[in-house]
Amino acid sequence: MNRYLITISLLTLSNVFMTFAWYAHLKNLADKPWIVAAFLSWGVALFEYLLQVPANRVGFEVMNLGQLKILQEVITLTVFVPFAIFYMKEKLTWDYLWAGLCILGAVFFIMRAKLTG
């Protein structure tokens, strides 16, 4: 399989775990002490790291560090927005679009050498 696709797939899956580790406790464990949420989130984050570390190793074979980081940010927003809307029941605002456009600008600048040859 293409190394870019492997990287994107693993980073997407890792982001799902990390998004839940970082934010799901706000909905599910709001009545529990923060330390309980921290340890449960830490347990969920373990699965994120088991996917993220190999994703970054594979991705670093075909991208530089900046490109890998911007890819991560694009995936993070792509995972976070549906999570915020559907799981956390947040209202979709224009700010998500503007943030996405800013990230697309970052993608262009960090990838332009590859895009333009």
Side-chain angles (χ1 to χ4, degrees):
M1 186 188 281
N2 181 310
R3 288 191 172 136
Y4 289 101
L5 292 176
I6 292 170
T7 301
I8 290 167
S9 299
L10 289 173
L11 286 177
T12 300
L13 290 170
S14 78
N15 252 277
V16 170
F17 282 105
M18 200 53 156
T19 300
F20 275 89
W22 280 15
Y23 302 109
H25 65 88
L26 298 172
K27 179 178 179 180
N28 299 332
L29 300 172
D31 59 335
K32 304 285 187 221
W34 73 266
I35 194 76
V36 172
F39 278 108
L40 289 172
S41 293
W42 205 7
V44 173
L46 170 65
F47 295 101
E48 186 268 343
Y49 277 95
L50 292 174
L51 296 165
Q52 177 264 346
V53 170
N56 283 334
R57 286 181 176 226
V58 171
F60 196 61
E61 293 175 8
V62 292
M63 290 177 267
N64 67 39
L65 191 60
Q67 292 166 340
L68 194 55
K69 180 58 182 170
I70 292 301
L71 175 62
Q72 172 65 36
E73 295 303 326
V74 169
I75 291 169
T76 296
L77 192 58
T78 303
V79 169
F80 178 78
V81 171
F83 172 85
I85 294 166
F86 297 114
Y87 188 79
M88 296 296 289
K89 306 297 185 203
E90 293 282 320
K91 182 181 173 197
L92 180 63
T93 66
W94 284 102
D95 292 339
Y96 288 108
L97 174 65
W98 308 138
L101 290 174
C102 288
I103 289 178
L104 285 178
V107 169
F108 170 76
F109 286 111
I110 204 76
M111 299 282 193
R112 75 176 154 174
K114 283 191 181 233
L115 297 172
T116 60

